[in-house]
């Protein structure tokens, strides 16, 4: 459970202007004030924040901060900020095994000092080897097991992460610059918590930072950036149809995992002795289609709308 004890105090110092005596700002007002600060002030604050908590980080780990390096644009910033602050740190990347390959290539090329933690079981094998079912908007077990780290990488650390509250309402409710974890279980530092996406790109330009080339891809029709955020291929919070067009090999890997899930667990009762919920879809193809849309019209759901018969008919697909 995350603790937000210092949140109001943290936000309250973001604006030095005196408020009117009769004005009582809401928490969202304070967040907006923080987001509106100039980039120069945000950089200074991030460096001060990292320096302030370094002694506590060193008490938890003689290597200093654990910097969670996803190789994305926000991680580019937090890695640079820790260098600017001159604080002790080590960079760690938790490999999910379904990351965009361009992102991993970029990370290995530009940050050879970042240690890559490889999981014992690939995510798509975990999907079918135990009856957890695929991650979805209601049960996103993948983040806890892969993004946040395996048993080998979990521990009592002071973690520096690239969370930005601008990206979602939930993040604005749960996160701030400093978040205490469970008692005696470390803490999180979020130096770019109140940075906007414009701040992130301005910092890249200011510091001459490189970035993953996927961010440069533009939509042919609109000319707008295709990828604002880089996550796992097939993430239920991302654009799965776009991902599977962009990376067809990963689409095939997801299909194989759904097939193996059905083959292994169909007809095997759950712990309550009842049929498993995915069996209402009758086939693995139907289950895959339900997952893509996260809805099903009933037991007859077969999935013909999203996948061709040729694609869904490959019953002989096997892992390489």
């Amino acid at each position: 459970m995350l603790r937000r004890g210092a949140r109001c105090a943290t936000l309250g110092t973001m604006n030095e202007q005196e408020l009117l005596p009769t004005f009582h700002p809401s928490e969202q007002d304070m967040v907006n004030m923080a987001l509106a600060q100039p980039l120069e002030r945000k950089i200074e604050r991030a460096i001060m924040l990292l320096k302030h908590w370094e002694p506590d980080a060193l008490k938890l780990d003689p290597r200093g901060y654990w910097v969670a390096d996803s190789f994305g644009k926000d991680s580019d910033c937090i890695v640079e900020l820790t260098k600017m602050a001159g604080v002790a740190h080590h960079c760690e990347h938790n490999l999910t095994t379904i990351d965009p390959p361009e992102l991993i290539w970029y990370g290995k090329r530009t940050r050879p000092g970042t240690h890559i933690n490889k999981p014992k079981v690939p995510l798509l094998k975990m999907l079918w080897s135990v009856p957890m079912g695929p991650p979805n908007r209601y049960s996103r077990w993948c983040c806890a097991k892969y993004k946040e780290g395996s048993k080998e990488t979990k521990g009592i650390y002071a973690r520096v992460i690239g969370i930005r509250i601008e990206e979602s309402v939930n993040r604005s409710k749960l996160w701030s610059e400093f978040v205490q974890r469970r008692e005696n279980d470390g803490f999180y530092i979020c130096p770019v918590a109140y940075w906007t996406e414009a701040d992130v790109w301005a910092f890249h330009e200011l510091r001459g930072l490189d970035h993953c080339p996927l961010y440069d891809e533009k939509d042919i029709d609109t000319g707008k950036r295709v990828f604002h955020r880089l996550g796992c291929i097939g993430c239920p919070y991302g654009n799965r149809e776009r991902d599977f067009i962009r990376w067809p090999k990963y689409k095939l890997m997801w299909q194989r995992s759904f097939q193996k899930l059905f083959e292994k667990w169909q007809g095997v009762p759950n712990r309550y002795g009842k049929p498993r919920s995915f069996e209402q879809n009758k086939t693995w193809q139907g289950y895959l289609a339900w997952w893509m849309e996260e809805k099903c019209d009933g037991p007859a759901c077969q999935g013909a709308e999203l996948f061709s018969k040729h694609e869904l008919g490959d019953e002989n697909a096997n892992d390489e």
Side-chain angles (χ1 to χ4, degrees):
M1 179 66 71
L2 301 179
R3 295 184 176 182
R4 303 166 56 205
R7 182 179 176 82
C8 290
T10 300
L11 289 173
T13 58
M14 291 297 292
N15 196 316
E16 295 175 343
Q17 296 179 356
E18 252 184 69
L19 297 174
L20 295 174
T22 56
F23 176 64
H24 300 285
S26 67
E27 189 164 340
Q28 187 56 51
D29 290 329
M30 300 296 284
V31 169
N32 292 337
M33 291 178 191
L35 290 170
Q37 295 295 306
L39 178 59
E40 293 76 11
R41 179 169 170 77
K42 291 179 181 180
I43 295 171
E44 291 175 3
R45 186 172 179 82
I47 293 173
M48 289 173 59
L49 186 72
L50 290 164
K51 288 182 175 181
H52 176 78
W53 290 104
E54 184 186 18
D56 295 87
L58 288 168
K59 290 178 184 178
L60 296 173
D61 186 336
R63 298 173 296 174
Y65 289 113
W66 170 299
V67 180
D69 186 2
S70 71
F71 300 145
K73 66 182 188 305
D74 299 329
S75 288
D76 295 335
C77 294
I78 64 172
V79 170
E80 181 68 9
L81 286 167
T82 54
K83 292 178 181 178
M84 293 171 67
V87 294
H89 68 280
H90 57 105
C91 297
E92 305 283 341
H93 176 91
N94 290 334
L95 192 70
T96 68
T97 67
I98 53 171
D99 308 274
E102 295 88 344
L103 183 65
I104 304 304
W105 297 336
Y106 163 74
K108 288 181 176 180
R109 176 176 61 83
T110 61
R111 289 202 278 280
T114 293
H115 179 255
I116 297 178
N117 300 296
K118 299 179 180 179
K120 290 183 177 180
V121 181
L123 191 152
L124 292 181
K125 184 176 181 180
M126 178 69 73
L127 186 155
W128 62 263
S129 60
V130 293
M132 298 179 69
N136 55 58
R137 291 177 183 270
Y138 309 103
S139 177
R140 197 167 51 158
W141 53 263
C142 48
C143 287
K145 287 186 173 292
Y146 289 86
K147 283 284 189 181
E148 295 170 17
S150 62
K151 291 181 179 179
E152 290 73 22
T153 63
K154 285 186 176 179
I156 303 176
Y157 301 113
R159 296 179 186 259
V160 178
I161 60 176
I163 287 283
R164 289 191 301 109
I165 66 170
E166 181 193 47
E167 292 184 318
S168 75
V169 174
N170 284 339
R171 289 188 175 187
S172 67
K173 293 178 179 178
L174 294 172
W175 294 94
S176 61
E177 293 172 316
F178 173 87
V179 178
Q180 179 71 56
R181 298 177 68 188
R182 296 181 181 89
E183 191 172 356
N184 299 321
D185 195 21
F187 56 89
Y188 292 99
I189 297 294
C190 311
V192 296
Y194 300 108
W195 289 32
T196 64
E197 184 174 351
D199 290 329
V200 169
W201 289 119
F203 185 71
H204 273 75
E205 184 175 355
L206 178 67
R207 300 294 297 178
L209 301 181
D210 200 354
H211 59 267
C212 178
L214 286 173
Y215 290 117
D216 295 328
E217 294 190 4
K218 301 292 180 64
D219 184 275
I220 297 176
D221 297 323
T222 65
K224 294 182 178 179
R225 194 188 304 274
V226 175
F227 297 100
H228 288 272
R229 299 170 65 180
L230 299 177
C232 296
I233 297 172
C235 174
Y237 277 84
N239 187 329
R240 285 173 284 192
E241 292 185 64
R242 178 202 64 193
D243 288 353
F244 291 154
I245 292 173
R246 180 67 174 73
W247 294 286
K249 180 179 178 181
Y250 286 81
K251 176 181 178 179
L252 180 60
M253 290 165 60
W254 276 98
Q255 290 174 340
R256 287 172 172 172
S257 294
F258 271 80
Q259 181 183 357
K260 286 180 175 291
L261 176 70
F262 235 83
E263 290 173 349
K264 182 170 183 177
W265 298 103
Q266 187 177 27
V268 179
N270 63 21
R271 59 182 174 177
Y272 303 108
K274 297 181 179 181
R276 298 183 183 278
S277 60
F278 69 77
E279 294 188 67
Q280 69 173 317
N281 297 286
K282 302 298 184 182
T283 65
W284 68 266
Q285 294 96 326
Y287 190 33
L288 177 60
W290 169 86
W291 177 74
M292 286 290 292
E293 296 185 331
E294 293 198 13
K295 65 180 181 179
C296 185
D297 295 330
C301 179
Q302 297 297 316
E305 301 86 358
L306 290 170
F307 295 89
S308 69
K309 292 181 179 179
H310 172 73
E311 289 176 315
L312 294 177
D314 185 9
E315 298 294 336
N316 297 315
N318 294 307
D319 286 335
E320 295 177 358

